Amino acid sequence: MADQLVLDLTQALEDIPLIDPHSHIDPLNPVSRSLDDILGYHYYTELAHSAGMSQAPLAKDVPGRERVRAILQHIERFDNTLQYSWFAEIVKSFLGMTEDQISADNSDRLYDRAEKIFAQSDWEEQVFKKSNLEAIFLTNEFDDPLEDFDTSRYVPCLRTDALVFRLQEREIQIRLARATGVEVHDGPSLKRAIRKLFEQFLSKNAKACAISLPPNFSPKADAEALSPAGIFWVIAEHCREYKLPFDLMIGVNRQVYRNGVYQGQDLFDQRVSLLQYAELFNAFPQVTFPISVLCSNSNQELVSHAWIFPNVVTNGHWWYSNIPAYIHSDLKSRLQAVPKTKQIAYYSDAYKLEFVLPKFGMYRRVLANVLAEDFVRSRGWSENQAVELGKRLLRDNVREIFKI
Amino acid sequence: MADQLVLDLTQALEDIPLIDPHSHIDPLNPVSRSLDDILGYHYYTELAHSAGMSQAPLAKDVPGRERVRAILQHIERFDNTLQYSWFAEIVKSFLGMTEDQISADNSDRLYDRAEKIFAQSDWEEQVFKKSNLEAIFLTNEFDDPLEDFDTSRYVPCLRTDALVFRLQEREIQIRLARATGVEVHDGPSLKRAIRKLFEQFLSKNAKACAISLPPNFSPKADAEALSPAGIFWVIAEHCREYKLPFDLMIGVNRQVYRNGVYQGQDLFDQRVSLLQYAELFNAFPQVTFPISVLCSNSNQELVSHAWIFPNVVTNGHWWYSNIPAYIHSDLKSRLQAVPKTKQIAYYSDAYKLEFVLPKFGMYRRVLANVLAEDFVRSRGWSENQAVELGKRLLRDNVREIFKI
Amino acid sequence: MADQLVLDLTQALEDIPLIDPHSHIDPLNPVSRSLDDILGYHYYTELAHSAGMSQAPLAKDVPGRERVRAILQHIERFDNTLQYSWFAEIVKSFLGMTEDQISADNSDRLYDRAEKIFAQSDWEEQVFKKSNLEAIFLTNEFDDPLEDFDTSRYVPCLRTDALVFRLQEREIQIRLARATGVEVHDGPSLKRAIRKLFEQFLSKNAKACAISLPPNFSPKADAEALSPAGIFWVIAEHCREYKLPFDLMIGVNRQVYRNGVYQGQDLFDQRVSLLQYAELFNAFPQVTFPISVLCSNSNQELVSHAWIFPNVVTNGHWWYSNIPAYIHSDLKSRLQAVPKTKQIAYYSDAYKLEFVLPKFGMYRRVLANVLAEDFVRSRGWSENQAVELGKRLLRDNVREIFKI
C-alpha cells in the first residue's frame, strides 16, 4: 500500500534544512504558550464558525481553556480537512499524543499537556530543531523597530499593504511620520519617506518587500502620486534601487464575509489576470517578483509568466490554494514548464512556529509524489536527481533569490 | 489490476440508502415506459445531434421506436462518453443485456425488451429498490398542484426561475394570479403572492426552494421591486422566514445554440464569481444556500466560500461538471477544505428514475477512489471511517440540511 | 514500476501513421541543418533567457555554434522542463547520444554530430520515417506561392492573421494587391480579394484556414466591413462556400513581454470565454471550427461547446497548455464528454520536422495513460478498443475533418 519510492523521497526531503520565506511570526513571541495559540489560528476559528460555532467563545475575555474546548466541540465537523490534519500532526509531533485523543472530552488533558510542554525554557529551540528549520522570514509593518531578535534567524521583510492602501488614513500618516521623520503630502515627500524605510529595513537585514493585492489592482507608471497604484510604483522603484525582491501576493478581497471571525473574512474573485501586471514586469526588469496567487485558476498564468519573464518567480502555495489538491496540480505544471531556478517551493505563512512542521510536511509529501511520478518514473531520473531538484526549490532558490 | 480497497469502499457506499436532493422527476410519471424515454433524455439527443444527427427524428410525430433507432445509429460516435456509459449501465442493470448488444441493428430487440420490462406493474418499486433509493426531490413549477403523490417519497421543491426571470410575461402573471389569487403589480403584492406560494408548498412537505442563474446575475438588496434581482431578494426573505434552504444553481446561459435540440441549447461563461453573491450571503445568515456551479473553474471559489461562510454549502456536481474528470478534482478539494457537515454529495438531476442508479454509481466510484487515496492511504483512516465520511455526504447532510 | 498496459498501449499508438494537422514547417527547408536550428526554437531561447541568458547570443551575426553553446550553458537551469525533455529525446533518437551528454562542455561534440547527421542527403526521409509521419499541415501566409513542394505531404493551410488584424497596414495592402490583383478599399473589394485567395489556396490542395485570436476578440455579423471582426466574418463566409474548416486558435496576447526573445513575447489572459464565439457558431452551421485554446482554464468551455455545437471540434493542446500536466486533465474531460468523432488529438506546431517525434511521443504517453485509466481499467474496454479510440483521434478524425 505504501509507495516505497515516495516514502524514500519524502524522507530525503525532510533532511533538507528549511529557510521559510514567508510567515507572520512575532520574533519576540515566536512559539505557542498554550493550546489556545494553536487552535486560535484563524484556520480553526473560521472552520469552527463556518461549521456552526458562534463567535461568543472567540471574545477576548473568554479564557483560552474555554475557547479551546468550544473549538474542540466543533472539530469533529471538520476533521476531514487538511487544516485539521495539521493540528493532528502538531498533537502527535509536539504533544506526543495520538489523533484519537483529540476530542472535546479530552480538552483539558490536551490543554494541560500543551501548557507543560510549551513552558519548557528551550521550547523555541526544540521547535526549530524538530522542524529542521534554519531561518524564517517575518512580515513586518513599516514602523516595526526590528529590535531585540536575531535577524539572521528571523529575517525581516517590509510589508507595504498599509502604505499602499491606507495612506489616506490619518493614523497611517502619523505612524509613517513617526517612523521616518517625513510628513508625506506629495510625490517627493513620499519618496523621501519610503527611502528612509528601505534604509532602516536594510540596516536590519531585511531581505524582501511584500504586499498582498486585491484582484482588481493594476500597477501603472503614470498613476497619481499618492494613489495606491502610484505608491506601489514608488516602492517598486526602491526595490530596484535597493535590490530587494518584491513579493506580490495577488488576489485577495478583504472583508467579504463581514461578520466573519478575525482574519476569516477574506475571499477572492477568480476573474483576475497577471496581464494586469505586464506593465510592471516590463518596467522593472532588474526587480525579482516572487508571485503568489490566491486562486489555483491563476496558476497557469503564473507558470507562463515565469516561463517568459526573467523577473517573475513562482512563490509557494498560498492560503486557499494551500491544500494538496491544488498544490499537486499547481506544482506539476510548475515543474514541467518553469526553469527550476525560478521556483520557490513553499512558505508556511505561520503565526506560530509549531505550524512550520505540519505545513512543510504536507508540502514535502506532495512534492515527493510529483517527483516520483513525473521525474523518477516518467523520465527515468535517479532518486538523487529528484531530491536535488527538491532541494533547489526548497532551499537553494530561497538563498539565491533573497541573497541569504 | 482491480484496486480491492476501492472496490470494497464502493460496495459499502452502495449500501447507503439514497435521498436524491435534486431531480426533474414527474411524480405522476416517474419511470420510463419505453426506450424512447431513456434515449430521449437530452444528453443523448444533443450528443447524437452534435455528432451529426439531424433534428428530424426528434419531431413529435416520429414514433419512439424510430427515434430510438436514429439515436442508436449515431451512438457509436459517442460511445466514449460517460453519458453513453450511463446508458450502458441501464441496459445492463435494468434490461439484463450486455453493452455489446447496443447497436442500431439491435434497436428493435432493445426497444421490445425495454417495453416489456417497463410495463411491469411494480416497475417503479423495482427501480427504487434496485437503486437503493429512499426519496427523491422534485423541481416544481410555482403553480404545480403537488397532488396525487407521496410527498415523503417525492419531495417537492419550489423552482423559482419563472418568477424571477419571466414575471414580465403576461402568461406568468396569469399563472401566478391563478395560483395565489394575487395580481402582482408592485412590491407589496409580490410579497403577498410569494408568501402564498411558500405556504402552499410548505403545506405539501416542500423542503427547498431552487433557482438556476445566469453568469452575470448578482443579487442586490436595493434592486427595483419587480426586477429579477428584486424578486430574487424577496424569495430569499421568504426562505429566511419559512426556514427553507435556497438551492442556487449558478452559471447557465440559456439558448446559446439557438438551433440546438430541446434542452440542449444552454452553455455557460466561465467568467463568473461567487463574489457576485457576497451581499446575499451576508444579508441572510439564517438561510442555508446549497450552491451548485456549472463550470469546474468555479469550484475553488465554492470551496472557499463554504469554508468561510456558515450559510454556504457545496451541492453536487452539476451538468457540464458532472463527469468523473471534474467530479474527481472538485470532490478532492471539497473534502480537503470544507467541513464535512457542509457538503451535499450528489444529485441525479434525472428526468426518469432509471438514471438514479448509473449516475450515483458513477459518483460513488469517484468518491471511493478519493476516499481511498486521500483518507485511507494518505491519512491512515480505517475503511469504516472513510465509509462514514461518505455516508455523511450522501445521506446525513441531505437529512440535516433539508430537515428530512 | 513500469505499467505494462500503458507501455503496450503506447507502442500500439506509435504504430499509427501520423498526419500532423498544424505546424510552421517551411516545406522548402523542413529539417534542421544544425543544432542551432533545434536549440534556436523559441522554447529554448525563451527559457534560457528567462533563466538568465542575455539576448546577446541571439543576435543574427552570432555564429550558430556559439549560440548553441550559450544556450547549453543555461540549459541545466531548465532541465526539469518538458521542453528540455523534447530536446533530450531528439539527442537520443536522432543523434544517438545520451541525455547525460547534454552539457555546455560537450557543446562542440553535439554540434558536430548534429551537423554530420543532418547533412545526409535523405535526412528529410529519415525523419519522416522515424517519426512515422505521413503528412504535415503548413501555416502559409496569404501570398505564399505554394510552389516547389509536394502538397500531399506538406498540406497548405491559409493563415489569415495578417488579413484580419493588419489590413490597415500599407505593407499588407500592397502584398494583398500583388497576390490577388485586387486593391481592397471596401467590403466588395475585400470579398473579391479573399475569394481569389481561397481559389489559389484550394488549387494548391489547401485543407484548412487558420487564425490566432486575442482574448478580447468577438466575431460579429454586423461589424464594419474592414474592421478585424468584419474581415473575419468574410473569411468565415468563404470557408462556408469553399467547405474549408476554420481553425481558431483562441486567446493569445501578442508582445506582452516587450523585450522578450523573438517569438517569446506573447502571453494570455485567462479571462476569455467561448461565449464570445456563440454568434459565429450559430451563423455558420456548415463550417467546422477546430478550436484550440491557449489556457487550460478554457478547456471545459471547449468540451461543452463541442458537446453541444455540431460544428465545434476540439483541436490539440496548444503552446502554454502543451505540457503533460494540462494535456492529461484536458484530454480526460474531452474523452469523457465529447463525441469521439469530434476530437483532433494533437498537432506538433513544429518549425522543424525533428520536433514531431518528441512532441507526439509526449502526447501518446499521456493518451496511453488516460486510455488505460479511464477506458481499459475503469470501463472494461479491451486494449484493441482503446487503441482504436486513439487511432480515431490521431488519424481518422484528421482525415475526415480536413477531407484528406
Side-chain angles (χ1 to χ4, degrees):
Chain A
M1 206 136 97
D3 181 325
Q4 195 56 46
L5 172 61
V6 173
L7 293 177
D8 290 349
L9 290 170
T10 304
Q11 198 168 339
L13 294 171
E14 283 169 358
D15 290 340
I16 300 164
L18 298 175
I19 301 168
D20 182 344
H22 177 68
S23 82
H24 298 269
I25 294 292
D26 172 1
L28 306 180
N29 204 6
V31 284
S32 297
R33 282 190 279 206
S34 78
L35 208 57
D36 189 29
D37 284 337
I38 300 286
L39 285 175
Y41 195 17
H42 68 84
Y43 284 94
Y44 303 114
T45 55
E46 73 203 13
L47 282 165
H49 176 58
S50 172
M53 189 182 80
S54 81
Q55 295 242 23
L58 305 178
K60 273 195 173 165
D61 56 348
V62 173
R65 183 180 289 268
E66 284 178 33
R67 179 161 32 252
V68 163
R69 186 176 297 114
I71 293 168
L72 287 173
Q73 272 160 357
H74 291 82
I75 212 163
E76 198 249 347
R77 300 187 194 178
F78 59 90
D79 63 7
N80 58 298
T81 64
L82 243 294
Q83 296 83 344
Y84 170 87
S85 78
W86 300 336
F87 177 62
E89 193 159 338
I90 286 172
V91 165
K92 201 176 122 197
S93 300
F94 291 120
L95 305 189
M97 292 168 84
T98 55
E99 192 174 329
D100 57 15
Q101 290 181 288
I102 300 171
S103 72
D105 288 350
N106 218 24
S107 181
D108 281 331
R109 255 188 79 198
L110 284 160
Y111 196 89
D112 292 340
R113 174 112 181 126
E115 203 158 47
K116 195 173 143 196
I117 285 177
F118 295 166
Q120 295 168 85
S121 61
D122 66 342
W123 183 239
E124 181 182 347
E125 282 313 310
Q126 284 190 45
V127 176
F128 262 90
K129 199 168 169 197
K130 212 159 196 161
S131 312
N132 201 7
L133 181 63
E134 193 174 289
I136 186 164
F137 281 48
L138 310 175
T139 297
N140 306 92
E141 286 302 312
F142 64 84
D143 53 352
D144 189 318
L146 306 175
E147 275 168 11
D148 303 321
F149 62 89
D150 174 357
T151 61
S152 69
R153 172 171 261 195
Y154 294 109
V155 183
C157 165
L158 172 58
R159 172 159 215 166
T160 59
D161 296 54
L163 291 171
V164 168
F165 293 107
R166 296 174 54 207
L167 194 55
Q168 75 286 9
E169 295 175 21
R170 191 64 199 135
E171 182 217 329
I172 301 298
Q173 293 164 7
I174 291 169
R175 282 171 48 195
L176 183 57
R178 202 178 293 145
T180 63
V182 181
E183 284 279 357
V184 171
H185 52 86
D186 61 4
S189 56
L190 174 72
K191 288 187 186 188
R192 283 199 305 279
I194 286 178
R195 168 175 300 274
K196 201 73 191 284
L197 293 178
F198 270 73
E199 287 179 353
Q200 286 165 357
F201 267 74
L202 281 162
S203 77
K204 299 289 190 177
N205 196 39
K207 295 297 186 188
C209 191
I211 190 167
S212 69
L213 299 156
N216 63 357
F217 190 75
S218 191
K220 297 286 166 213
D222 58 358
E224 227 184 296
L226 298 187
S227 71
I231 301 168
F232 179 93
W233 205 264
V234 169
I235 292 171
E237 288 170 345
H238 286 77
C239 285
R240 177 175 58 198
E241 184 175 345
Y242 290 97
K243 302 186 197 315
L244 267 197
F246 196 176
D247 293 347
L248 308 185
M249 311 186 79
I250 293 174
V252 62
N253 282 115
R254 300 292 178 185
Q255 292 181 286
V256 175
Y257 174 29
R258 291 194 299 269
N259 295 313
V261 308
Y262 177 64
Q263 292 178 324
Q265 307 182 344
D266 306 341
L267 280 156
F268 57 89
D269 184 335
Q270 60 117 341
R271 296 167 302 179
V272 59
S273 176
L274 290 188
L275 195 68
Q276 300 163 222
Y277 293 82
E279 186 175 337
L280 179 79
F281 299 152
N282 275 296
F284 294 97
Q286 314 89 334
V287 177
T288 300
F289 295 99
I291 308 280
S292 297
V293 290
L294 192 45
C295 180
S296 177
N297 298 22
S298 297
N299 187 65
Q300 189 176 359
E301 283 194 353
L302 177 54
V303 164
S304 302
H305 281 70
W307 158 352
I308 293 298
F309 277 103
N311 52 340
V312 172
V313 164
T314 66
N315 190 14
H317 300 271
W318 189 31
W319 200 346
Y320 291 113
S321 292
N322 184 24
I323 56 171
Y326 297 122
I327 297 172
H328 188 260
S329 54
D330 294 348
L331 179 56
K332 275 177 91 82
S333 51
R334 293 182 193 179
L335 284 176
Q336 287 177 11
V338 177
K340 69 186 180 192
T341 51
K342 300 184 67 194
Q343 305 185 43
I344 297 168
Y346 191 73
Y347 48 78
S348 72
D349 221 355
Y351 286 76
K352 291 294 175 187
L353 282 180
E354 288 85 357
F355 282 95
V356 171
L357 184 148
K359 286 183 156 189
F360 270 94
M362 171 185 75
Y363 174 78
R364 279 183 300 234
R365 282 187 292 273
V366 178
L367 176 59
N369 264 295
V370 174
L371 292 172
E373 293 162 17
D374 287 358
F375 291 87
V376 179
R377 288 184 176 133
S378 298
R379 289 175 56 182
W381 284 29
S382 70
E383 282 188 42
N384 266 353
Q385 283 177 296
V387 173
E388 275 305 303
L389 177 54
K391 177 165 168 285
R392 173 144 280 289
L393 267 61
L394 276 163
R395 183 173 170 83
D396 301 345
N397 288 343
V398 178
R399 298 190 61 189
E400 290 174 16
I401 290 165
F402 297 107
K403 305 192 193 79
I404 291 174
Chain B
M1 205 137 98
D3 182 324
Q4 195 57 46
L5 172 61
V6 173
L7 293 177
D8 290 349
L9 290 171
T10 304
Q11 198 168 337
L13 294 171
E14 282 168 358
D15 291 339
I16 300 165
L18 298 176
I19 302 168
D20 181 343
H22 177 68
S23 82
H24 297 270
I25 295 292
D26 172 1
L28 307 180
N29 205 5
V31 284
S32 298
R33 281 190 279 206
S34 78
L35 207 58
D36 189 29
D37 284 336
I38 300 287
L39 285 176
Y41 194 18
H42 69 85
Y43 284 93
Y44 303 113
T45 55
E46 74 203 13
L47 282 165
H49 176 58
S50 172
M53 189 182 79
S54 80
Q55 295 243 22
L58 304 179
K60 271 195 174 166
D61 56 349
V62 173
R65 185 180 288 268
E66 284 178 34
R67 181 163 29 255
V68 163
R69 185 175 297 113
I71 293 169
L72 287 173
Q73 272 161 357
H74 291 82
I75 211 164
E76 198 250 345
R77 300 188 194 177
F78 57 90
D79 63 6
N80 57 299
T81 62
L82 243 293
Q83 296 84 344
Y84 169 88
S85 79
W86 302 334
F87 177 62
E89 193 159 339
I90 285 172
V91 165
K92 199 176 121 196
S93 300
F94 292 120
L95 306 188
M97 292 168 84
T98 56
E99 192 174 330
D100 55 17
Q101 290 181 288
I102 300 171
S103 73
D105 287 350
N106 219 23
S107 180
D108 281 331
R109 254 188 82 199
L110 285 160
Y111 196 89
D112 292 340
R113 174 114 181 126
E115 204 158 46
K116 195 173 144 196
I117 286 178
F118 296 168
Q120 295 168 85
S121 61
D122 66 341
W123 183 241
E124 181 182 344
E125 281 314 309
Q126 285 190 44
V127 176
F128 262 90
K129 199 169 168 193
K130 213 158 195 163
S131 311
N132 201 6
L133 182 63
E134 192 174 290
I136 187 164
F137 281 47
L138 311 174
T139 297
N140 306 92
E141 286 301 312
F142 64 85
D143 53 353
D144 189 318
L146 306 176
E147 277 168 7
D148 303 322
F149 62 88
D150 174 357
T151 60
S152 68
R153 173 171 261 195
Y154 294 109
V155 183
C157 165
L158 172 58
R159 173 159 213 167
T160 58
D161 296 55
L163 291 172
V164 168
F165 293 107
R166 296 173 54 205
L167 194 54
Q168 76 286 6
E169 295 176 20
R170 190 63 197 135
E171 182 217 330
I172 302 297
Q173 292 164 9
I174 291 169
R175 282 172 48 196
L176 183 56
R178 201 178 294 145
T180 63
V182 181
E183 284 279 357
V184 171
H185 52 87
D186 61 3
S189 56
L190 174 73
K191 288 187 185 185
R192 282 198 307 278
I194 287 179
R195 167 177 301 274
K196 201 73 190 287
L197 294 178
F198 270 72
E199 287 180 353
Q200 286 165 357
F201 267 75
L202 281 161
S203 75
K204 300 287 189 177
N205 196 37
K207 295 298 186 186
C209 191
I211 190 167
S212 68
L213 298 157
N216 63 357
F217 190 73
S218 191
K220 297 286 166 211
D222 58 357
E224 227 184 296
L226 297 187
S227 70
I231 301 167
F232 179 93
W233 204 264
V234 169
I235 293 170
E237 288 170 345
H238 286 77
C239 286
R240 177 176 59 199
E241 184 174 343
Y242 290 97
K243 301 188 197 314
L244 269 197
F246 196 176
D247 293 348
L248 308 185
M249 311 186 79
I250 293 174
V252 61
N253 282 115
R254 300 292 178 184
Q255 292 179 286
V256 175
Y257 173 30
R258 290 194 299 268
N259 296 311
V261 307
Y262 177 63
Q263 291 178 324
Q265 308 182 346
D266 306 341
L267 281 157
F268 56 89
D269 184 334
Q270 61 117 342
R271 296 167 302 180
V272 58
S273 176
L274 290 188
L275 196 67
Q276 299 164 224
Y277 293 83
E279 186 175 336
L280 179 78
F281 299 151
N282 275 297
F284 295 96
Q286 315 89 333
V287 178
T288 300
F289 295 99
I291 308 280
S292 297
V293 291
L294 191 46
C295 180
S296 178
N297 298 22
S298 297
N299 186 66
Q300 189 176 0
E301 284 193 353
L302 177 54
V303 164
S304 303
H305 280 69
W307 157 353
I308 292 298
F309 277 102
N311 52 340
V312 173
V313 164
T314 66
N315 190 15
H317 300 270
W318 188 31
W319 200 346
Y320 291 112
S321 292
N322 185 23
I323 56 170
Y326 297 122
I327 297 172
H328 189 260
S329 54
D330 294 348
L331 179 56
K332 276 177 90 83
S333 52
R334 292 182 193 178
L335 284 176
Q336 288 177 11
V338 177
K340 67 185 180 193
T341 51
K342 300 184 68 195
Q343 306 185 42
I344 297 168
Y346 191 73
Y347 48 78
S348 72
D349 221 355
Y351 285 76
K352 291 293 175 187
L353 282 180
E354 288 84 357
F355 282 94
V356 171
L357 183 148
K359 287 183 155 187
F360 270 94
M362 170 185 76
Y363 174 78
R364 279 183 300 234
R365 283 188 291 273
V366 178
L367 176 59
N369 264 294
V370 174
L371 291 173
E373 294 162 16
D374 287 358
F375 291 87
V376 179
R377 288 185 176 131
S378 297
R379 288 174 58 182
W381 285 29
S382 71
E383 282 187 43
N384 267 352
Q385 283 177 295
V387 173
E388 276 304 304
L389 178 54
K391 176 164 168 286
R392 173 144 282 289
L393 266 62
L394 276 162
R395 183 173 170 83
D396 302 346
N397 289 342
V398 179
R399 297 189 65 189
E400 290 175 15
I401 289 166
F402 296 106
K403 305 192 193 77
I404 291 175
Chain C
M1 206 135 97
D3 181 325
Q4 194 57 45
L5 171 61
V6 173
L7 293 176
D8 290 349
L9 290 170
T10 304
Q11 198 168 337
L13 294 171
E14 282 168 0
D15 290 341
I16 300 164
L18 297 176
I19 301 168
D20 182 343
H22 177 69
S23 82
H24 298 268
I25 294 293
D26 173 0
L28 307 180
N29 205 5
V31 285
S32 297
R33 280 189 281 208
S34 78
L35 208 58
D36 189 29
D37 284 336
I38 300 286
L39 285 176
Y41 195 17
H42 69 85
Y43 284 93
Y44 303 114
T45 55
E46 73 203 15
L47 282 165
H49 176 58
S50 171
M53 188 181 80
S54 82
Q55 296 243 22
L58 304 180
K60 272 195 174 166
D61 57 348
V62 174
R65 184 179 288 271
E66 284 178 34
R67 180 162 32 253
V68 162
R69 184 176 297 112
I71 292 168
L72 286 173
Q73 271 159 357
H74 290 82
I75 211 164
E76 198 249 345
R77 299 188 196 177
F78 58 90
D79 62 7
N80 57 299
T81 63
L82 243 293
Q83 296 84 342
Y84 170 88
S85 78
W86 301 334
F87 177 63
E89 194 159 339
I90 285 172
V91 165
K92 200 176 123 195
S93 301
F94 291 120
L95 306 189
M97 292 169 84
T98 55
E99 192 174 331
D100 57 16
Q101 290 181 286
I102 300 172
S103 72
D105 287 351
N106 218 25
S107 179
D108 281 331
R109 254 188 80 199
L110 284 160
Y111 196 89
D112 293 340
R113 173 115 182 123
E115 203 158 47
K116 195 173 143 197
I117 285 178
F118 297 165
Q120 295 168 87
S121 61
D122 66 341
W123 183 239
E124 182 182 345
E125 283 313 310
Q126 285 191 43
V127 176
F128 262 89
K129 200 169 166 194
K130 213 160 195 162
S131 311
N132 200 7
L133 181 63
E134 192 174 290
I136 186 164
F137 281 47
L138 311 175
T139 298
N140 306 94
E141 286 302 311
F142 63 83
D143 53 353
D144 189 318
L146 306 176
E147 277 167 9
D148 303 321
F149 62 89
D150 174 356
T151 59
S152 68
R153 172 171 262 195
Y154 295 109
V155 182
C157 165
L158 172 58
R159 172 159 215 167
T160 58
D161 296 54
L163 291 172
V164 169
F165 294 107
R166 296 174 52 207
L167 194 56
Q168 75 287 6
E169 294 176 21
R170 191 64 197 135
E171 182 218 330
I172 301 297
Q173 293 164 7
I174 291 168
R175 282 171 48 197
L176 183 57
R178 203 177 294 144
T180 63
V182 181
E183 284 280 357
V184 171
H185 52 87
D186 59 4
S189 56
L190 174 73
K191 288 186 185 185
R192 283 198 306 277
I194 286 178
R195 169 176 300 273
K196 201 72 190 288
L197 294 178
F198 270 72
E199 287 180 353
Q200 287 165 358
F201 268 73
L202 281 161
S203 75
K204 300 288 191 179
N205 196 38
K207 295 297 187 187
C209 191
I211 189 166
S212 68
L213 299 157
N216 63 358
F217 190 73
S218 191
K220 297 285 166 213
D222 58 357
E224 227 184 296
L226 297 187
S227 70
I231 302 167
F232 179 92
W233 203 265
V234 169
I235 293 170
E237 288 169 345
H238 286 76
C239 285
R240 178 176 57 198
E241 184 175 344
Y242 290 96
K243 302 189 195 315
L244 268 197
F246 196 177
D247 292 348
L248 307 185
M249 311 186 79
I250 294 175
V252 61
N253 282 115
R254 301 292 179 184
Q255 292 181 286
V256 175
Y257 173 30
R258 290 194 299 269
N259 296 312
V261 308
Y262 177 62
Q263 292 178 323
Q265 307 182 345
D266 306 341
L267 281 157
F268 57 89
D269 183 336
Q270 60 118 341
R271 295 166 303 179
V272 58
S273 175
L274 291 188
L275 195 68
Q276 299 164 225
Y277 293 83
E279 186 175 337
L280 179 78
F281 299 151
N282 275 296
F284 295 96
Q286 314 91 332
V287 177
T288 300
F289 295 100
I291 308 281
S292 297
V293 291
L294 192 46
C295 180
S296 177
N297 298 23
S298 297
N299 187 66
Q300 189 176 0
E301 284 194 352
L302 177 54
V303 164
S304 303
H305 280 69
W307 157 354
I308 292 298
F309 277 102
N311 53 339
V312 172
V313 163
T314 67
N315 190 15
H317 299 271
W318 189 30
W319 200 346
Y320 291 114
S321 292
N322 185 24
I323 56 170
Y326 297 122
I327 297 172
H328 189 261
S329 54
D330 294 348
L331 179 56
K332 276 178 90 81
S333 52
R334 293 182 193 179
L335 284 176
Q336 288 177 10
V338 177
K340 68 186 180 193
T341 52
K342 301 184 66 194
Q343 306 186 41
I344 297 168
Y346 191 73
Y347 47 78
S348 72
D349 221 356
Y351 285 76
K352 291 294 175 187
L353 283 180
E354 289 84 357
F355 282 95
V356 171
L357 184 147
K359 286 183 156 189
F360 270 93
M362 170 185 76
Y363 174 77
R364 279 183 300 235
R365 282 187 292 273
V366 179
L367 176 59
N369 263 295
V370 174
L371 292 173
E373 292 163 17
D374 287 357
F375 291 88
V376 179
R377 287 185 176 133
S378 298
R379 288 175 58 183
W381 285 29
S382 70
E383 282 188 43
N384 267 353
Q385 283 176 296
V387 173
E388 276 304 303
L389 177 55
K391 177 164 167 287
R392 173 144 281 290
L393 266 61
L394 276 162
R395 182 173 172 82
D396 302 344
N397 289 341
V398 178
R399 298 189 64 190
E400 290 174 16
I401 290 165
F402 297 106
K403 305 192 193 78
I404 291 174

